[in-house]
Amino acid sequence: MSIVRWMPFSEIDALFNRVMPATLARRHDLTQGDNGGMLTAWAPSADISETEKEYLIRAELPAVKKEDVKVTVDGGMITIEGERKQHKEEKDEKSIRVESMYGTFIRTFQLPDDVKIDDIRCTDKDGVLTIHLPKSVKSKSKARQITVE
């Protein structure tokens, strides 16, 4: 007989995850852990906005070093991937509870047709990765009436 650590809320979490719509669970990939609890893989949240000159993707990447992030463009898609590494405990430190999510992540977004791919740039400030997607200049045509023949 093996001793299993009792996790009082694991049944409630399992029920919630079973009945919760998948669209609400987009950011979390739940898997069964070794001790019967649920483990959560993480993906950074991202906000997408638009100005007159560019589209902006802002991905929240706290505690992720910029050398651990890779942004690629291929086939009309832009991909952000990387890894948030777990803080190593010091010799005299013992974790009591860890709520932060760690591990590799990947987010992919479809690019609009009017993005200048060669001019895409990224900035990293205060744990937020901002991807600047400049718009190509379109010739603005004036409205005109067409005669029906």
Side-chain angles (χ1 to χ4, degrees), residues 14-57:
L15 175 65
F16 179 75
N17 292 326
R18 210 171 38 245
V19 297
M20 187 173 86
T23 56
L24 296 177
R26 177 199 58 76
R27 289 182 46 214
H28 304 294
D29 182 20
L30 299 171
T31 59
Q32 189 75 28
D34 293 338
N35 62 356
M38 299 301 283
L39 297 177
T40 306
W42 81 288
S45 61
D47 298 330
I48 301 173
S49 59
E50 175 182 11
T51 68
E52 193 174 303
K53 297 181 179 183
E54 66 183 353
Y55 300 98
L56 297 162
I57 300 174

Side-chain angles (χ1 to χ4, degrees), residues 24-30 39-47 58-62 64 79-84 99-109 127:
L24 296 177
R26 177 199 58 76
R27 289 182 46 214
H28 304 294
D29 182 20
L30 299 171
L39 297 177
T40 306
W42 81 288
S45 61
D47 298 330
R58 291 184 180 92
E60 296 179 1
L61 300 173
V64 177
T79 301
I80 307 167
E81 58 186 307
E83 180 179 9
R84 180 162 51 191
E99 293 185 353
S100 301
M101 293 182 238
Y102 299 96
T104 59
F105 62 86
I106 186 165
R107 293 292 311 267
T108 302
F109 303 94

Side-chain angles (χ1 to χ4, degrees), residues 89-124:
E89 292 181 358
E90 299 295 323
K91 211 177 219 184
D92 58 344
E93 178 183 359
K94 178 183 174 191
S95 294
I96 296 172
R97 182 178 180 133
V98 177
E99 293 185 353
S100 301
M101 293 182 238
Y102 299 96
T104 59
F105 62 86
I106 186 165
R107 293 292 311 267
T108 302
F109 303 94
Q110 184 169 354
L111 292 173
D113 293 334
D114 61 341
V115 170
K116 290 187 207 175
I117 292 178
D118 293 334
D119 294 336
I120 295 174
R121 63 186 180 86
C122 299
T123 58
D124 182 26

